[in-house]
Amino acid sequence: MDRTVSVMGQGRATAVPDTAVVRVAAVHRAASVADAFAGVASAVEAIGTEARRFTEERRIASQGLQVWPAHDNQGRQAGFETRHTIEIGCPDLPAASALLEALVAAVGDRLQVEGVTLRVSEPGPLITEAREAAYADALVRATHLAGLAGASLGPIVSVSEGGGSFEPFMEMAGGRALKADASFEPGESAVSATVTASWQLEV
């Protein structure tokens, strides 16, 4: 019976985010549904106009439109509120910063910043690096175990990749993490990978 050793290796790779996704909403309250919609519609038009200055039109997408009765502090209905959420992909972080500043100036109090997510535009090389690190880790573990068993590694029998994962990229919610000039500190983003491998043992 062939003796084998099976191990799981883990790898991780990091990179500096170079793109951003800005998620904003146009919000307006008015006495009637029609006026609430009209207020949001003009705000959305302004958002779209500004967004097209900093990114491609295909990267500007509506994510939801809601309308509901608004109430005062005593629970009495006080008109209607409409909310239109838009997601905008920016080619780089300076563009995202400039976009937010332009939106604040153009839309004013009808603008809400729901969040900004920083991302790596080309994650492929990062995934490859994490996978290679995971295999190297598996090889080190297997070599160590083989030595403890008084053997050495023979031919590899099988190898499979487990579930890799992206560690959360930097996300800034509600504008609270924005500087006064809406600039960003990119930090690092990471991706992890796991590899399961088996080798024959040779004495």
Side-chain angles (χ1 to χ4, degrees):
M1 179 178 177
D2 291 336
R3 298 168 64 196
T4 62
V5 59
S6 298
V7 297
M8 177 182 290
Q10 298 179 330
R12 185 173 182 269
T14 61
V16 177
D18 57 353
T19 64
V21 176
V22 176
R23 189 179 178 92
V24 297
V27 180
H28 187 67
R29 178 181 289 192
S32 68
V33 171
D35 288 342
F37 265 104
V40 160
S42 62
V44 168
E45 182 178 359
I47 290 172
T49 298
E50 295 302 320
R52 283 187 287 273
R53 293 173 51 209
F54 299 98
T55 191
E56 301 173 271
E57 187 162 3
R58 66 182 180 83
R59 302 185 70 181
I60 306 169
S62 293
Q63 297 294 309
L65 175 64
Q66 299 171 296
V67 59
W68 62 90
H71 297 84
D72 60 21
N73 294 334
Q74 283 71 47
R76 296 170 300 199
Q77 184 170 341
F80 297 86
E81 188 165 324
T82 302
R83 182 185 193 89
H84 190 146
T85 303
I86 299 173
E87 193 170 270
I88 306 164
C90 297
D92 52 50
L93 305 192
S97 299
L99 168 64
L100 282 172
E101 293 175 9
L103 290 179
V104 169
V107 184
D109 292 341
R110 289 178 294 171
L111 178 74
Q112 288 190 3
V113 180
E114 295 191 349
V116 179
T117 304
L118 307 187
R119 295 178 176 172
V120 176
S121 58
E122 297 292 340
L126 198 63
I127 296 170
T128 298
E129 183 180 345
R131 185 186 299 119
E132 291 172 348
Y135 183 84
D137 181 53
L139 183 58
V140 169
R141 292 170 184 261
T143 301
H144 184 217
L145 289 174
L148 292 176
S152 60
L153 291 185
I156 190 165
V157 176
S158 66
V159 61
S160 62
E161 185 174 11
S165 65
F166 281 93
E167 296 180 11
F169 296 127
M170 182 184 295
E171 184 164 349
M172 303 173 176
R176 290 189 298 273
L178 302 183
K179 292 183 178 180
D181 61 354
S183 60
F184 304 106
E185 298 296 339
E188 281 190 338
S189 296
V191 61
S192 60
T194 60
V195 168
T196 301
S198 298
W199 284 265
Q200 286 186 0
L201 291 179
E202 295 180 343
V203 180

